Amino acid sequence: QVQLVESGGGLVQAGGSLRLSCAASGRTFSIYYMGWFRQAPGKEREFVAQISRYGGNTYYADSVKGRFTISRDGAKNTVYLQMNSLKPEDTAVYYCAADNERITSLSHPSYWGQGTQVTVSS
């Protein structure tokens, strides 16, 4: 099993920045891809970003491209999501995910974190 623990959420004004972290533990050798999803109130969970094990492959949702950056520290088994130029519509619970297969908007990752709240005020 793999455990994922997110941190770094909070309240920020529009235009501000936050950095989310997700630490993986357990059988981390079994996961190749890590990523982030988010779910806003009353909406379905949506894909945000994905990164491969060594960081060579990244992929973003169009809604965050150019504003969010995903990165990974292999030694710490941690993935980060740097969020800049935040907008009120970015308000959501952000979930870390991991899988041995590529994570996309259509995939269902095997492992999930508990989520961290991000609130962007206008």
Side-chain angles (χ1 to χ4, degrees):
Q1 288 293 330
V2 174
Q3 294 78 42
L4 303 174
V5 178
E6 302 102 332
S7 60
L11 173 65
V12 64
Q13 289 188 332
S17 298
L18 279 176
R19 189 177 82 154
L20 306 182
S21 300
C22 173
S25 61
R27 298 171 64 89
T28 56
F29 61 85
S30 67
I31 57 176
Y32 194 87
Y33 294 97
M34 295 185 73
W36 293 91
F37 287 73
R38 66 186 182 185
Q39 187 167 19
K43 295 187 177 181
E44 293 186 354
R45 188 175 298 184
E46 66 172 350
F47 168 81
V48 175
Q50 170 238 266
I51 189 167
S52 57
R53 179 185 289 274
Y54 301 109
N57 179 286
T58 58
Y59 180 62
Y60 297 91
D62 288 343
S63 58
V64 306
K65 201 172 295 183
R67 300 187 299 122
F68 291 10
T69 302
I70 190 170
S71 60
R72 188 167 178 174
D73 185 331
K76 297 181 179 179
N77 289 315
T78 299
V79 65
Y80 305 96
L81 186 67
Q82 177 67 43
M83 305 184 294
N84 298 328
S85 301
L86 282 161
K87 306 175 181 180
E89 51 264 44
D90 293 318
T91 295
V93 177
Y94 283 70
Y95 297 91
C96 178
D99 206 330
N100 195 37
E101 298 183 356
R102 188 171 179 178
I103 297 173
T104 71
S105 59
L106 300 178
S107 63
H108 300 278
S110 299
Y111 305 103
W112 292 90
Q114 81 287 353
T116 185
Q117 177 70 46
V118 171
T119 302
V120 184
S121 63
S122 57

